[in-house]
Amino acid sequence: MPEARRPSPRAPLHVQNRLRAARRHGHALDKALRRAHTYAHPAGSIVRIETHISVVYLAGRYAYKLMKPVNFGFVDFTTLDARRRCCEAEIRLNRPFAGPIYRDVQAVVPQARGVALKRAARRGTRDGVIDYAVRMRRFDQHALFSQRLAAGVLGSADIDAAAHALAVCHRAARRAAPVRGGRGTPYGSAALLGQQVFDALAPLERDVRSAAFVRDAGLRTWCEASLARVAPRLDARRAGGFVRACHGDLHLDNIVRQGRRALLFDCIEFSEALRWIDIASDLAFLVMDLRAHGRDDLANRLLTRYLDATGDFGGLAALRLYVVYRALVRALVAHLKTPPADDAAHATSAPSAQPGQRYLQLAAREASDRRPPWLLLCHGLSGSGKSVASREFAALSGAIRISSDIERKRAHVLDAPTLGALPPQAYTREAIDAHYARLVALATDVLDAGYTVLIDATFLQSANRKRFAELARRMNVPMLILDFHADAARLKERVKARAAGPRDPSDAGEAVLTAQMASAEALDAEERRMTVQLDTDVPIEAFSDTAWWAPLWARMNAAADSSSA
């Protein structure tokens, strides 16, 4: 096992001695666990995987994870009791996220040929135990999201499964957060987030490999301004129950595909402050990691699917800040794993060759994003393809899509939408007016967070379109109407196919389509000037092709050029 953190000459003598002993212990144990005969089952060739705080040994059908005897300040595993508590917590806390993987805690005991592993007693006696390990069911390393991404096979089904799993876990997560953290600051509060952000940023500002980049990007100034802006929202969300027992470390190395499921493993177990967080911070970690690896399309799809599942549009207010914070954390972890051997060499090396640089570059990109948001309205009859198409546009563009059909069937934020047909009273004039008022409120939150919003609704009545035109004027954002259309035969064919297929959020059948055709109010002259025509009588695959959206891109780019001239 790699060395514990080297003791500082200024550290107390007892701390120096404990760390030196931990280093000797780690080396001896690592040597034993690399041998197949250590294990009570066929182990084959041992594969060893190391992080900055743990080592995992892949042995046969199991994996054994040991905590390294390190002290990084935020975590101290230099005592046996600390490592035992961490292993027990890892089993208990990870089961909601990845139950099929986690088995039990194993005690490491000495024997004539080295060490052996046996199931640990629940509490109390240690009986010569020299360490503890988390025993997990081994999975195919190629099924890791990080490996699938590297192989070019991480796709839409993976992202949809991850979004679903995360939404389910967040919905069921404990929400009775401990009142105060270790520094006397409430978990999940804006004050604690500020401490965490600057705890990650400060070492990067001091490190010769990153200091100049961090300074030139203005990350400290941006973080200070962002925290000041969103602090009231964060504390309001904490009071509203959005701070929950989360995963806390949701990057691509900690998600594995198992059948049609995505299992989220290796959650934070050593820090309550890093685990009891706003659910938007948990989501932001994976959004960040996908963006840092150049897959904005998958990050956008994850966000779209998660919001469809939870309706937590309020979390967008701090999402960009959370993404920057998570990027800083990953950059810092990269630095911890590769301490500089030669400061001068690192100072002159290419930025792309330095550890964690992709994360710092992402943080700088997010902090410098000044694109103004747009208000985009879908317009079209049932069966016009606007729902399928708008979902694909959200993945391509990063726009936040709000589905009228989904939100109509959601009782409360975080609830899964029901897919059964609603009663007739849900579609009275009064109910429809109230529903569009709610869509206006949701769109306001999204625009206020700085994101383009795309409202997926029919917008067949002039009064509803005017509500959003007024919103655009009030928030001083540009608006476009996306007119999705196909011939009448195709509309009927799609509506019939939807009714016969899997359950769908839309309740619109042929009778509704006929009523829409008779009652739809035409766009007026002003609305037609802000309308983009989109013919959906094409194969469904066309919606995911950027070329199909060329008329919309052209209008948005022309407006951007005009405003900057």
Side-chain angles (χ1 to χ4, degrees), residues 399-410:
I400 302 301
R401 172 180 173 269
I402 300 176
S403 166
S404 174
D405 288 331
I406 289 176
E407 296 310 316
R408 180 181 280 114
K409 294 188 173 184
R410 192 192 314 279

Side-chain angles (χ1 to χ4, degrees), residues 302-556:
L302 173 74
L303 186 54
T304 296
R305 293 295 188 172
Y306 179 85
L307 292 174
D308 280 350
T310 65
D312 185 23
F313 298 99
L316 294 169
L319 184 68
R320 187 167 281 115
L321 174 60
Y322 283 133
V323 166
V324 170
Y325 163 54
R326 294 304 192 176
L328 294 175
V329 168
R330 292 301 285 169
L332 180 59
V333 167
H335 282 197
L336 290 173
K337 291 171 68 174
T338 55
D342 183 343
D343 286 355
H346 279 294
T348 57
S349 63
S352 60
Q354 295 174 10
Q357 190 64 25
R358 71 170 61 183
Y359 297 108
L360 290 177
Q361 289 172 339
L362 174 64
R365 175 160 67 98
E366 290 288 320
S368 63
D369 189 351
R370 301 288 188 272
R371 292 173 297 176
W374 284 73
L375 174 57
L376 305 177
L377 307 184
C378 293
H379 173 260
L381 300 163
S382 295
S384 62
K386 59 187 181 301
S387 294
V388 177
S390 62
R391 187 180 291 121
E392 293 300 326
F393 180 75
L396 290 170
S397 67
I400 302 301
R401 172 180 173 269
I402 300 176
S403 166
S404 174
D405 288 331
I406 289 176
E407 296 310 316
R408 180 181 280 114
K409 294 188 173 184
R410 192 192 314 279
H412 303 97
V413 177
L414 297 188
D415 285 354
T418 59
L419 294 181
L422 294 175
Q425 55 265 36
Y427 295 97
T428 63
R429 173 63 66 183
E430 293 75 14
I432 291 173
D433 286 345
H435 178 59
Y436 271 90
R438 181 163 177 259
L439 294 179
V440 168
L442 293 176
T444 301
D445 285 344
V446 176
L447 291 170
D448 192 51
Y451 291 90
T452 290
V453 63
L454 174 61
I455 311 297
D456 173 20
T458 60
F459 282 105
L460 298 178
Q461 304 304 312
S462 174
N464 294 326
R465 299 193 294 268
K466 291 187 183 305
R467 290 186 184 197
F468 282 85
E470 174 55 32
L471 172 63
R473 286 190 290 272
R474 187 169 69 248
M475 300 198 71
N476 194 30
V477 297
M479 185 178 100
L480 287 175
I481 297 173
L482 316 186
D483 183 48
F484 296 90
H485 54 87
D487 64 55
R490 178 58 63 91
L491 296 177
K492 291 179 181 178
E493 174 188 313
R494 288 172 175 168
V495 167
K496 288 177 65 175
R498 185 167 61 196
R503 290 189 299 174
D504 187 273
S506 175
D507 291 338
E510 286 189 81
V512 171
L513 175 59
T514 300
Q516 289 176 349
M517 291 176 170
S519 64
E521 297 175 359
L523 301 174
D524 63 26
E526 182 180 356
E527 290 172 331
R528 288 196 298 273
R529 283 193 293 270
M530 64 177 71
T531 296
V532 177
Q533 298 293 332
L534 295 167
D535 183 358
T536 64
D537 200 359
V538 295
I540 194 171
E541 295 79 13
F543 301 145
S544 58
D545 185 347
T546 56
W548 190 80
W549 296 96
L552 177 55
W553 298 126
R555 287 289 296 273
M556 295 176 74

